[in-house]
Amino acid sequence: MSVDDSRPIWIQLVDTFSHNIVTGTWPAGSKIPSVRELALDAGVNPNTIQRALTQLDNEGLTTTERTQGRFVTTDLRTIAHKRSELAGQATSQHVTTMVSLGLSIDAAIELIRERWND
């Protein structure tokens, strides 16, 4: 994971872990690696990982089973909602960039069409 100094690391981890869930890298119902494993992989303090995972719990994307660990939710509507939220954020960023470059909506749509299958 590459760290961006403009945002807190735990928020970046929430984004990364959410992406893992909505793309199926961490499928619905699957067991998430332990805090210790994730901390080693990311090269961050386990408390930072725990904070990010707690946020995922709060968003309903994960659940914790006391004796078995943490799992991705099986609620596909929650995952779909998060996917839509992330797509909306990406779209807003894209639109802002296209507008700042002076492109028309038709030109921006054409660029998307050209690159969709690349």
Side-chain angles (χ1 to χ4, degrees):
M1 179 183 135
S2 65
V3 176
D4 172 5
D5 290 337
S6 68
R7 297 182 313 139
I9 293 171
W10 75 273
I11 292 175
Q12 294 175 60
L13 290 167
V14 169
D15 291 346
T16 298
F17 298 161
S18 295
H19 186 267
N20 288 347
I21 292 169
V22 302
T23 62
T25 301
W26 291 352
S30 67
K31 189 174 189 319
I32 295 174
S34 71
V35 169
R36 186 167 289 155
E37 289 175 75
L38 291 170
L40 285 172
D41 287 346
V44 300
N45 186 300
N47 291 333
T48 305
I49 296 291
Q50 185 60 47
R51 186 171 182 186
L53 293 174
T54 297
Q55 180 61 33
L56 293 180
D57 285 346
N58 292 341
E59 292 180 15
L61 292 171
T62 58
T63 59
T64 302
E65 303 293 329
R66 279 207 184 266
T67 60
Q68 296 179 356
R70 185 175 266 114
F71 294 83
V72 174
T73 184
T74 56
D75 183 348
L76 299 181
R77 288 183 307 171
T78 299
I79 294 171
H81 177 75
K82 186 63 172 186
R83 180 181 294 113
S84 179
E85 178 184 317
L86 294 175
Q89 291 169 0
T91 301
S92 292
Q93 292 170 355
H94 179 70
V95 167
T96 299
T97 300
M98 295 298 105
V99 168
S100 72
L101 292 171
L103 269 67
S104 69
I105 189 169
D106 292 333
I109 290 169
E110 185 56 34
L111 281 172
I112 292 170
R113 279 194 184 107
E114 289 173 5
R115 288 173 174 77
W116 191 260
N117 293 317
D118 286 352

